[in-house]
Amino acid sequence: MAALVPAAVCRIRSAPTAGTNYFLGIDYENVQKLCNISGLQSRDNPQSTPDAHCEFLQQYRKIFIQPKPVLPKIPVFASPYYRTRAERLITYKILRLLPAINKRFADEELKDLSAKIIMESWEKSCIVFGYQSFYFILRGCAKPYLLLDEPLRPVHPPPWLDPTLSLLAFGDSFGSLLPMSDNAGHKVLSVLTESNCQLVKISTGQFENVREEIIVRNFAMKEKVIQACRSYQHWPKLSLSKLVQLINWKKYPKDYVLVKEGEISSIVGFIKSGQCYIFKDIEGLEKLPLGQVQSEVKHIIMGKLSGNQSFGEISILLRKPFTCTLITATEVELGVISKRDILGLEEVYRMLLQQTSEPILVNLTQEEVNNRYISLEKEKQWKRFKNKVIKETILYRGIKPGVGKWNFNYSKKDNSKKNPPPSF
């Protein structure tokens, strides 16, 4: 039996089956133990007993020396004061991969926190209190030391609690950044380290500073977007701040209909980035086969709205339907104020909006729309005629672009003129 096991091992190593891991070598001590199992088939025993067979199947994998699992390298977070821009970006990307952190903080908060978080090392049997900090375990393990029960009262875990069921390891988090009344869903407040641990720490002070910075930055950005519009450049500071408080950022994909012609707008939009087409509907005639003609509604591009422009104020305040259709030409980010918030403003602000805002295409006449439609149709006909003539001219001489000598690379220099052929 001892001679047969290494041969079987060699066969397994040379041709591993699906799902079998590669191994580094053979542990011959375990091979010897495997061969000494009582009840196995041998010269004196023609057939293995069921118990020996089961024990052999359970123990034979121990003869393969498996490679030690290599854990992903966890970077050492530099001090926030000396952390470079590149290190902050790497830290932010790592934080996004950690579920416990990614679910708890918004993306904008993570970008700012990547410049402030620190890493702490704790030895075994230390109590880490998380009343004013949020901790994420990078290495090591710990068990809950202080919990938060249903009445939101801190309690110690009962002594009979199985430590294996409540053990916290890599990927788990504990602690609190908010008051106890707001932390019903986060039970573990403090832990007792079971081994040497490395923890990512976000303190309450850091988190509050980040939130304040985000609020100030967003307020300044909203104020900048509004003031960039010509109608709002001379607004008083107090009135401008009132609109800023109502704005929410929204992104719209390409070819999204913001407002339809003949409908009252549901939003006031301030374009932060991107462009929108201004369409006007006109009834035109379309030629059909056999000389028939049919009436059809055409959509004509009358212009574009881009950054530093707004729409929807007059339509909401005066309850006037839109005289055109707005469709996004690219991905557009808007500062949006809902119709309900606009109508809920005080009379002073509504009057100020009505006096300074300008409707879109308010002075456009039907004759101008018709002339625009005629010019666009003439341009299309001319392009079709031009392409048709060029195509017929090229094919008349048998020229097929991209085939034969017409596939010549003109970017290469022609050296034939430098060395002319000798004259006779």
Side-chain angles (χ1 to χ4, degrees), residues 21 28 38-39 75 91 109 182 206 215 219 265 284 295 298 331 369 404:
N21 297 326
Y28 288 98
S38 60
T91 306
E109 294 173 345
D182 299 332
Q206 292 172 345
I215 291 173
F219 188 91
S265 178
S295 177
K298 303 284 186 177
E331 182 177 318
V369 177

Side-chain angles (χ1 to χ4, degrees), residues 27-294:
D27 188 348
Y28 288 98
E29 292 184 3
N30 287 330
V31 171
Q32 189 65 30
K33 293 179 182 179
L34 200 65
C35 296
N36 292 333
I37 296 176
S38 60
L40 284 179
Q41 182 182 3
S42 62
R43 294 178 180 177
D44 301 330
N45 187 13
Q47 188 174 2
S48 298
T49 62
D51 294 339
H53 179 70
C54 292
E55 186 177 356
F56 180 86
L57 292 178
Q58 292 175 0
Q59 301 294 332
Y60 88 95
R61 293 183 181 274
K62 295 182 179 180
I63 67 176
F64 305 109
I65 301 176
Q66 299 292 338
K68 294 182 179 180
V70 180
L71 296 176
K73 183 179 178 181
I74 299 174
V76 177
F77 297 102
S79 171
Y81 301 102
Y82 302 102
R83 200 170 295 162
T84 63
R85 184 180 181 88
E87 289 173 341
R88 292 177 185 179
L89 180 60
I90 294 173
T91 306
Y92 162 70
K93 291 181 178 179
I94 294 172
L95 292 177
R96 289 189 62 187
L97 299 176
L98 305 176
I101 293 181
N102 194 20
K103 292 179 181 179
R104 191 172 180 83
F105 302 99
D107 189 70
E108 192 173 3
E109 294 173 345
L110 284 182
K111 289 180 181 179
D112 289 357
L113 286 173
S114 62
K116 299 179 181 295
I117 64 170
I118 59 176
M119 187 170 68
E120 294 183 348
S121 298
W122 292 81
E123 296 181 352
K124 183 180 177 180
S125 302
C126 291
I127 299 175
V128 184
F129 293 97
Y131 283 105
Q132 296 295 324
S133 299
F134 174 82
Y135 287 93
F136 179 86
I137 300 178
L138 288 178
R139 283 180 180 164
C141 57
K143 64 180 180 180
Y145 177 76
L146 202 61
L147 305 178
L148 196 67
D149 64 356
E150 291 302 328
L152 305 180
R153 180 179 54 195
V155 294
H156 289 276
W160 48 263
L161 185 66
D162 187 359
T164 59
L165 297 178
S166 58
L167 204 63
L168 303 178
F170 171 74
D172 295 322
S173 61
F174 64 94
S176 171
L177 293 172
L178 303 175
M180 287 186 182
S181 59
D182 299 332
N183 277 281
H186 201 70
K187 300 287 186 180
V188 182
L189 289 181
S190 302
V191 297
L192 176 66
T193 57
E194 293 289 305
S195 62
N196 295 338
C197 296
Q198 288 184 346
L199 310 175
V200 170
K201 177 183 177 181
I202 302 174
S203 67
T204 303
Q206 292 172 345
F207 181 63
E208 291 297 330
N209 289 338
V210 166
R211 292 182 66 179
E212 291 177 3
E213 290 174 2
I214 292 174
I215 291 173
V216 171
R217 189 166 59 242
N218 285 340
F219 188 91
M221 179 59 69
K222 293 175 182 178
E223 190 177 43
K224 182 180 177 181
V225 169
I226 295 178
Q227 280 191 319
C229 301
R230 186 180 61 180
S231 303
Y232 298 88
Q233 290 178 353
H234 301 291
W235 268 48
K237 189 74 173 179
L238 182 61
S239 302
L240 200 64
S241 300
K242 187 67 176 180
L243 288 185
V244 169
Q245 296 172 5
L246 302 177
I247 281 187
N248 294 313
W249 297 119
K250 283 191 178 181
K251 289 186 177 180
Y252 296 91
K254 183 182 177 182
D255 298 330
Y256 184 88
V257 180
L258 296 173
V259 185
K260 289 185 179 180
E261 183 177 352
E263 295 182 357
I264 298 176
S265 178
S266 60
I267 60 171
V268 171
F270 300 89
I271 301 178
K272 180 183 178 183
S273 62
Q275 292 182 334
C276 301
Y277 285 127
I278 303 174
F279 283 91
K280 189 73 177 173
D281 294 342
I282 185 174
E283 189 174 353
L285 298 177
E286 183 72 18
K287 290 184 179 180
L288 298 177
L290 304 177
Q292 296 180 353
V293 178
Q294 129 179 345

